[in-house]
Amino acid sequence: MGDEHAGAGRAEPENAELVRLLWGPHPKPTRGPRPKLDLDRIARAAIEIADSEGLAEVSMQRVAAQVGVTKMALYRYVPGKAELVALMVEAAIGPYPAAAEGGVRGDGWRERLEEWARRLIAAFLRHPWTLDATIGPRVPGPGELSWMEHVISALDGTGLTGAERMDAAVLLVSHARGIGQQARAAGPAGRPEAQLGAVLGELMRTHGERFPALTAALASAAGPGGQDQAWEFGLQRILDGLAVLIDQRARHPHDQRER
């Protein structure tokens, strides 16, 4: 999921083929040999490459070899890498799980947003390449949009405007993206805060007198439970801020700011 609000208006004509690939219908080729592939199999093959080697290693040639066809044969299904990456994102992220399971409608908005955010960062961590593939304006698929639908609908009845609900989603996505990027940079060992703390600790041993507040904070963070809390801390503070705003709207509904 990107950090921007979903693009407004109709898709540009040059995106028509991408919209068809993501949203259908998917007519079978009328010429040539009987199809051996489908879009899901192609996307899954590309995901396998990206998961193990990174998005940069995904190419039409590599995917064609993975599924056992020629590169030209693959083009009969997917016109290029941009369309392939869009199919990969849709298959990797998939529809919001609660939508398929029916959801837990008895939960309040905070519980629903918290679960949503945890599911999102889990998806980013399962497929780190999606951090790169979901940046900037692009055409989302129906599965990806079901995530946005869930977070927006979770805030129904809170008094927040539509734009504010979209902004809340952007905040949560941005937090998940930032922590996911740190985790990816930390490598298989994980624990990015601990790694940063170790580097800063070495520097503070020599230069700590110049940065007394930072030195004291690092010493405190070195204690039990002091590290690798950025995800949880940030998530709860975002939800706390939304709770304050929602409470204000409940007490002063006529002060709602139109956006």
Side-chain angles (χ1 to χ4, degrees):
M1 297 183 63
D3 290 330
E4 302 296 330
H5 289 176
R10 294 181 178 274
E12 295 296 327
E14 60 267 26
N15 290 326
E17 178 64 9
L18 178 53
V19 172
R20 185 190 67 77
L21 286 172
L22 289 171
W23 291 84
H26 300 140
K28 295 181 179 180
T30 57
R31 294 182 296 174
R34 185 175 181 178
K36 300 178 181 179
L37 297 174
D38 57 45
L39 295 178
D40 185 67
R41 183 183 170 195
I42 293 168
R44 297 292 173 186
I47 289 170
E48 184 176 337
I49 297 170
D51 283 349
S52 60
E53 302 179 45
L55 188 61
E57 296 304 314
V58 176
S59 67
M60 298 295 282
Q61 184 68 52
R62 286 285 306 276
V63 174
Q66 189 88 346
V67 297
V69 300
T70 66
K71 182 178 178 181
M72 291 307 297
L74 187 62
Y75 279 119
R76 295 177 60 224
Y77 298 87
V78 182
K81 184 172 179 179
E83 293 80 5
L84 175 61
V85 171
L87 290 169
M88 291 167 62
V89 169
E90 180 70 2
I93 294 179
Y96 183 72
E101 298 163 5
V104 184
R105 297 300 178 186
D107 289 345
W109 68 265
R110 183 166 185 144
E111 292 77 17
R112 292 178 66 188
L113 261 59
E114 184 170 343
E115 179 188 22
W116 184 90
R118 295 190 192 285
R119 289 183 183 272
L120 178 61
I121 193 170
F124 280 149
L125 294 177
R126 280 195 305 272
H127 305 288
W129 55 269
T130 58
L131 293 164
D132 300 321
T134 55
I135 295 175
R138 58 198 175 79
V139 178
E144 188 179 355
L145 276 192
S146 74
W147 286 73
M148 184 64 70
E149 173 68 15
H150 185 84
V151 74
I152 298 301
S153 65
L155 291 167
D156 282 347
T158 59
L160 299 186
T161 67
E164 287 168 341
R165 285 182 278 167
M166 296 284 285
D167 288 340
V170 169
L171 276 175
L172 291 168
V173 172
S174 298
H175 183 49
R177 180 183 297 281
I179 297 298
Q181 289 171 333
Q182 290 181 34
R184 178 174 63 176
R191 305 198 64 200
E193 291 177 65
Q195 293 180 20
L196 176 61
V199 172
L200 292 179
E202 287 294 326
L203 291 172
M204 292 306 99
R205 273 190 277 277
T206 304
H207 306 286
E209 71 283 354
R210 296 173 57 189
F211 308 96
L214 178 57
T215 299
L218 286 170
S220 174
Q227 296 178 342
D228 297 302
Q229 298 298 312
W231 161 252
E232 191 65 33
F233 182 85
L235 175 58
Q236 297 306 324
R237 298 300 74 77
I238 291 172
L239 297 175
D240 287 347
L242 289 173
V244 170
L245 181 57
I246 289 169
D247 181 63
Q248 289 175 348
R249 291 290 162 77
R251 289 185 286 109
H252 305 287
H254 298 297
D255 291 342
Q256 178 171 303
R257 177 164 58 95
E258 293 297 334
R259 298 182 62 191

